[in-house]
Amino acid sequence: GQQVMQIPQYQHVQEGEDFTTYCNSSTTLSNIQWYKQRPGGHPVFLIQLVKSGEVKKQKRLTFQFGEAKKNSSLHITATQTTDVGTYFCAGPGRGSTLGRLYFGRGTQLTVWP
Amino acid sequence: DGGITQSPKYLFRKEGQNVTLSCEQNLNHDAMYWYRQDPGQGLRLIYYSQIVNDFQKGDIAEGYSVSREKKESFPLTVTSAQKNPTAFYLCASSLVAGVTGELFFGEGSRLTVL
């Protein structure tokens, strides 16, 4: 079945260092979404990318959607302690699974001061 | 305020008992979802519903049951057949059925089976 893989599973950085998480889908995606879950909290939507090669920025966060629409990345420049949490990518199903999202396992980011 | 309300937030139950987790939304969203989260496992889909009186199994439906009698409500029952029910359960909704847009999540219900 359709799968979304995400690496790394864990990342520990010192405050000020950059961070990147990578997402790969087994199928071509119509879009890809990114979510952030703070420790003890619930996932919160960050962004959706739709176009091949699309790049979007939100302050220190840069999101990319690959040309083949099968991979994506989230890059955080100069991490801060407020960036701590787990970042998930998710892609939509197709055909009989239209209407559901397939989530990656997430990358848990720890930032020490 | 519009949103998704899950209750209870914390729940303790004895092994062998059925448990029902509540999920209510006032966003007028068509689609609703239940996910289970275990440490290091990400979000695993249990059931989802695109319209009232219809729902589909996700990846780990065994030992769970749902109903969708009203648009705003999607309760999840964790039955005694679920072998490892202790987990964090998240309910979510999205605006339009059949179009996988942004998911809005509730704050979750943490179930501990003793």
Side-chain angles (χ1 to χ4, degrees):
Chain A
Q2 188 172 344
Q3 287 187 333
V4 173
M5 287 74 68
Q6 194 174 350
I7 57 168
Q9 190 171 354
Y10 303 97
Q11 187 80 57
H12 309 278
V13 300
Q14 190 161 19
E15 192 172 19
E17 291 181 339
D18 291 357
F19 158 78
T20 305
T21 173
Y22 300 91
C23 187
N24 268 291
S25 169
S26 59
T27 62
T28 303
L29 299 170
S30 58
N31 67 73
I32 193 152
Q33 299 176 24
W34 286 91
Y35 293 78
K36 176 183 179 180
Q37 183 176 21
R38 293 182 188 275
H42 58 278
V44 174
F45 174 83
L46 293 176
I47 206 162
Q48 177 174 283
L49 304 173
V50 177
K51 297 177 185 175
S52 168
E54 189 170 13
V55 178
K56 283 190 175 180
K57 292 191 176 185
Q58 290 179 349
K59 296 183 181 177
R60 295 176 294 102
L61 277 62
T62 301
F63 303 85
Q64 291 189 319
F65 199 11
E67 294 289 341
K69 300 184 79 173
K70 292 183 74 173
N71 56 64
S72 181
S73 64
L74 158 59
H75 179 83
I76 302 178
T77 304
T79 53
Q80 300 175 359
T81 54
T82 53
D83 296 323
V84 164
T86 301
Y87 293 85
F88 295 97
C89 61
R94 295 154 33 145
S96 62
T97 62
L98 193 63
R100 66 163 287 181
L101 278 179
Y102 288 85
F103 279 85
R105 280 196 168 190
T107 296
Q108 189 175 317
L109 173 64
T110 306
V111 180
W112 73 83
Chain B
D1 270 339
I4 300 180
T5 303
Q6 288 187 242
S7 62
K9 201 164 185 175
Y10 299 95
L11 188 58
F12 297 87
R13 278 294 180 267
K14 289 184 181 178
E15 208 170 304
Q17 290 182 329
N18 288 0
V19 167
T20 297
L21 306 180
S22 170
C23 179
E24 303 277 330
Q25 54 102 355
N26 61 4
L27 300 167
N28 200 32
H29 283 181
D30 287 339
M32 296 186 75
Y33 307 80
W34 273 106
Y35 288 89
R36 170 178 171 146
Q37 189 171 36
D38 298 281
Q41 292 287 326
L43 299 167
R44 293 188 289 168
L45 183 65
I46 306 172
Y47 271 99
Y48 62 112
S49 168
Q50 302 287 300
I51 54 173
V52 173
N53 292 322
D54 190 40
F55 47 83
Q56 291 80 40
K57 292 183 180 180
D59 302 319
I60 56 165
E62 187 176 347
Y64 299 97
S65 66
V66 292
S67 62
R68 186 91 187 273
E69 295 176 4
K70 298 185 296 182
K71 186 175 183 178
E72 58 270 23
S73 178
F74 192 40
L76 173 74
T77 297
V78 185
T79 75
S80 56
Q82 169 50 234
K83 291 177 184 175
N84 289 305
T86 294
F88 187 48
Y89 292 89
L90 286 158
C91 179
S93 70
S94 67
L95 181 60
V96 178
V99 176
T100 318
E102 172 186 354
L103 291 190
F104 292 78
F105 285 86
E107 293 190 348
S109 293
R110 194 168 295 277
L111 172 63
T112 303
V113 175
L114 307 170

